[in-house]
Amino acid sequence: MKRFNYEGLKRDTDAADSSDWSLQSDEYNKGYREWRRREGNPFSFTGKRSSKCHTYIDGVGTREEIAEEQERSALRNACFVLTFIAFSYAFAENVFVLPVILILKLFGVEISYSFHESTAYGNQYALLFVFIFEGLMKFLLPLIITRRFIKMPSKIACPVKVKNWWTVFAAISVALVSVSAIMFLRIYMPSNVFTTNSINTTYKLSMGMDTGCMIAFLVFELIAVPIMIELLFHGALFQVMRQFGVTFAVVMIALINSSIRHNPFSLGVVFVTMLISGYGVWQSGSVITGIIVHILCRGLNFFLYWFKGQPDLINGLPSEMMFIIIVFAIGALSCFLLMLSKNKKLTMKDYGTFLAMRTKFKYSAFETTLVAVWILYAILVCIEVFI
């Protein structure tokens, strides 16, 4: 008989009882448990045996489904949503935007599109429209459809009130240190590594716009886009994934988010940003923390390009290097002061689940629809690098 590796739960345990968010109210946790126990919910598992929970196998007959299989089924369905989001991003960036550009050209608007750089050139107002359209198709449309898939109440899906402000400041401090370290590595890499990413594209396009258009463009790219990303990935989707373990949820969401960018030159900063924002959301009890961290990291990378275009300082010190040093110093000092004032550690507490951590990563990565995502983005990365 096959032996199963359970992490902290027994087969007759109601897993929904173990998923309470310690920072949230009893009312919030009750609502989350009710969502998990809702009959026919394909994105949750409870672990309890049930006469209704059975599987027919040819040559064997009807077999009662066990807790581990329920968890696998819920994880498989969650990975299907992740796959949908990844493919939506790819189609929005490489397919959906093209008819819009073609229509604008038919009306005599000067605009063109580069597949290699995934960006458009031409009339500044047309560019603003195209990039807003593309961003909405990448993030807002998948957000709306994902919410319909998951069917989770808004108050449960996206908690807003910050319960732990110490974690907010801690997440910001860690983000300053981490992003400055990545920026330091970036400026000493070959020039194509430094320039090939979406933030540099945002910088170059904004510099060619007039003041009003530039402000609208930067507000959308540096503020609206991070908000949509956080609501998509650390809203209802995070609430679904956290039932498989908070660490698993934070890492898997960061992995998917960095993979869909299919840009090997920006994977590091995207992955780190999503890790920190995911941790911050969990420990602070609010998606607002993730939004703040994401806007901060995106803004820092934008200003790195702005400082790179400025003249060197005294003794030949590059402006971008001074910028990185200041950001790192502020982050390091903040981390030190926070640890002294509260004497707290940045830790992650997990629930018990029926599948081992290694099994969950292996199963979700190679035995679900996410396999198609790895193949698609491996192809896009090759196109990005070699063509």
Side-chain angles (χ1 to χ4, degrees):
M1 182 177 179
K2 184 176 179 181
R3 297 178 64 85
F4 297 104
N5 183 12
Y6 299 106
E7 291 189 327
L9 294 177
K10 298 178 180 179
R11 280 186 293 176
D12 59 352
T13 299
D14 188 337
D17 288 334
S18 70
S19 61
D20 284 355
W21 197 342
S22 60
L23 287 172
Q24 296 295 343
S25 65
D26 291 339
E27 181 182 1
Y28 180 94
N29 288 320
K30 179 182 178 182
Y32 185 68
R33 290 195 299 271
E34 289 176 352
W35 173 83
R36 287 194 66 177
R37 290 174 180 148
R38 191 182 68 215
E39 187 173 352
N41 186 350
F43 300 104
S44 70
F45 66 97
T46 63
K48 279 190 172 182
R49 289 177 177 272
S50 170
S51 60
K52 297 180 180 179
C53 196
H54 53 75
T55 305
Y56 179 79
I57 303 175
D58 291 338
V60 177
T62 301
R63 185 185 68 180
E64 190 175 44
E65 194 174 70
I66 64 173
E68 185 187 64
E69 291 171 338
Q70 294 178 36
E71 184 173 354
R72 284 180 183 270
S73 176
L75 181 55
R76 182 171 59 250
N77 292 329
C79 289
F80 174 79
V81 176
L82 289 172
T83 303
F84 162 76
I85 292 171
F87 272 81
S88 296
Y89 186 99
F91 275 87
E93 187 175 51
N94 298 289
V95 178
F96 296 156
V97 72
L98 298 181
V100 175
I101 292 176
L102 179 60
I103 292 172
L104 290 173
K105 281 189 171 184
L106 290 176
F107 281 91
V109 179
E110 182 184 350
I111 189 170
S112 59
Y113 185 80
S114 169
F115 277 99
H116 175 64
E117 299 179 14
S118 297
T119 188
Y121 301 91
N123 181 280
Q124 61 177 347
Y125 297 103
L127 291 177
L128 177 63
F129 173 78
V130 167
F131 272 86
I132 290 178
F133 173 81
E134 183 180 337
L136 295 177
M137 294 297 289
K138 282 180 178 178
F139 304 114
L140 184 59
L141 182 61
L143 171 61
I144 294 171
I145 296 176
T146 297
R147 289 295 305 276
R148 287 187 170 273
F149 276 151
I150 296 174
K151 297 179 181 178
M152 184 181 289
S154 298
K155 290 183 179 179
I156 307 300
C158 297
V160 175
K161 186 176 180 180
V162 176
K163 305 288 185 176
N164 183 357
W165 280 101
W166 183 90
T167 302
V168 178
F169 297 124
I172 291 172
S173 301
V174 172
L176 290 172
V177 172
S178 302
V179 173
S180 60
I182 294 174
M183 291 191 299
F184 176 79
L185 294 174
R186 216 178 221 178
I187 64 174
Y188 284 105
M189 288 181 177
S191 59
N192 64 315
V193 175
F194 185 83
T195 58
T196 309
N197 58 74
S198 61
I199 299 298
N200 181 58
T201 299
T202 299
Y203 171 75
K204 289 190 297 185
L205 289 176
S206 64
M207 293 300 105
M209 296 177 172
D210 62 33
T211 303
C213 195
M214 178 182 67
I215 292 174
F217 181 56
L218 292 182
V219 166
F220 180 78
E221 287 291 326
L222 302 182
I223 298 178
V225 167
I227 291 174
M228 289 188 290
I229 290 174
E230 288 299 318
L231 292 179
L232 173 59
F233 286 98
H234 289 134
L237 185 58
F238 177 71
Q239 303 299 337
V240 171
M241 297 297 290
R242 75 177 176 88
Q243 65 186 316
F244 307 107
V246 180
T247 301
F248 175 79
V250 171
V251 174
M252 181 57 71
I253 288 176
L255 181 62
I256 293 297
N257 192 276
S258 54
S259 297
I260 67 176
R261 309 304 174 93
H262 64 82
N263 187 329
F265 311 126
S266 60
L267 288 180
V269 68
V270 174
F271 184 75
V272 169
T273 298
M274 293 303 292
L275 279 181
I276 297 171
S277 62
Y279 170 85
V281 169
W282 172 249
Q283 291 288 6
S284 69
S286 173
V287 72
I288 296 297
T289 305
I291 291 173
I292 293 172
V293 169
H294 213 119
I295 290 175
L296 176 66
C297 293
R298 203 170 175 91
L300 288 174
N301 278 277
F302 176 85
F303 281 107
L304 175 65
Y305 292 100
W306 186 84
F307 277 104
K308 187 173 177 61
Q310 303 306 307
D312 291 346
L313 302 176
I314 301 173
N315 297 324
L317 180 66
S319 297
E320 67 269 23
M321 179 56 70
M322 178 58 72
F323 172 67
I324 293 172
I325 292 172
I326 293 173
V327 171
F328 179 85
I330 294 173
L333 180 60
S334 299
C335 288
F336 179 72
L337 292 177
L338 283 169
M339 288 187 290
L340 284 180
S341 62
K342 291 291 185 178
N343 194 26
K344 292 184 178 180
K345 296 181 179 179
L346 302 180
T347 59
M348 184 74 76
K349 185 177 181 180
D350 262 325
Y351 314 126
T353 67
F354 298 105
L355 294 172
M357 183 72 73
R358 182 178 178 181
T359 302
K360 285 181 286 196
F361 276 110
K362 182 179 178 182
Y363 177 75
S364 58
F366 302 111
E367 299 180 43
T368 69
T369 52
L370 284 181
V371 172
V373 175
W374 313 137
I375 295 172
L376 171 64
Y377 284 101
I379 294 171
L380 292 176
V381 166
C382 290
I383 294 173
E384 190 91 29
V385 175
F386 300 110
I387 298 179

